[in-house]
Amino acid sequence: MTEKTLIIVKPDGIQRHLAGEIVSRFERKGLKLVAAKFMQVSEKLASELYCVHKGKPFYDGLVKYLSSTPVLLTVWQAQGVISVARKMLGNTFGYDAEPGTIRGDFSSSRGYNLVHGSDSTESAEREIKLFFKSEEIVDYELADEKWLYGKND
Ligand code: DAT
Ligand code: MG
């Protein structure tokens, strides 16, 4: 079943000029971009995004970091996209992420790991709603869908 995921190029990704590189990886994988927004996230929204981590020692710093400078919010759609994108992100800490993943290739940090990706269908639905109205998610067909996904009809 095709699903959607929220991918955020975090402040360090923008400051380090890696937004194009990161978006390009998802494009080349054949995932479909269905929404995008460049903005500075408020502390309130950042704290809602990360509400599952409330109370943890890194929570306050995490909220400050995500809201510190602009981010690129994107929504991608494809079969199994949530787990596909998580694999492409790599392990949470940059120094622990496999080479070939976004974090593994570009981050050597713990918290500054460049990119956020939803971790389940429930989180994806909740997180996308935080940043996008339903009319901002675009439903369309890619011209090369049959080549990307093997559809012949
Ligand atoms: P992920 O972003 O891989 O889903 P997460 O949801 O467990 O990871 O944590 C959210 C972010 O918080 C993560 O991208 C980096 C930061 N973080 C997680 N654990 C941390 C820790 N022990 N110390 C510092 N920052 C941490
Ligand atoms: Mg997470």
Side-chain angles (χ1 to χ4, degrees):
M1 205 200 77
T2 114
E3 53 186 28
K4 296 188 186 76
T5 194
L6 178 73
I7 299 293
I8 308 176
V9 180
K10 293 182 182 180
D12 51 329
I14 301 298
Q15 298 292 342
R16 291 181 51 204
H17 315 278
L18 288 168
E21 166 72 35
I22 292 167
V23 167
S24 174
R25 288 186 176 219
F26 294 118
E27 282 193 297
R28 285 181 291 160
K29 175 70 176 165
L31 308 180
K32 189 197 281 188
L33 181 65
V34 293
K37 199 177 274 189
F38 183 71
M39 63 181 264
Q40 186 155 355
V41 170
S42 65
E43 281 198 31
K44 184 174 179 293
L45 263 177
S47 61
E48 283 177 44
L49 176 73
Y50 283 129
C51 63
V52 294
H53 298 300
K54 202 169 174 166
K56 296 183 186 167
F58 58 87
Y59 177 74
D60 289 349
L62 182 60
V63 168
K64 287 230 148 35
Y65 153 60
L66 193 82
S67 55
S68 61
T69 65
V71 299
L72 181 64
L73 300 143
T74 57
V75 179
W76 297 85
Q77 182 173 357
Q79 189 157 9
V81 71
I82 296 169
S83 100
V84 167
R86 292 285 297 187
K87 284 183 201 154
M88 293 173 70
L89 261 52
N91 287 345
T92 299
F93 304 144
Y95 53 73
D96 187 39
E98 289 287 313
T101 65
I102 294 165
R103 289 164 169 170
D105 286 350
F106 301 111
S107 167
S108 300
S109 162
R110 177 185 289 258
Y112 279 29
N113 59 6
L114 300 166
V115 61
H116 167 84
S118 309
D119 65 5
S120 65
T121 42
E122 297 73 34
S123 324
E125 276 168 27
R126 185 186 73 80
E127 292 174 0
I128 290 167
K129 269 198 221 130
L130 282 178
F131 298 102
F132 293 93
K133 297 184 194 132
S134 59
E135 62 266 29
E136 292 174 321
I137 316 268
V138 186
D139 185 17
Y140 69 107
E141 266 191 28
L142 289 171
D144 56 0
E145 245 165 60
K146 73 172 183 176
W147 294 107
L148 285 169
Y149 312 128
K151 275 191 232 159
N152 290 311
D153 48 4

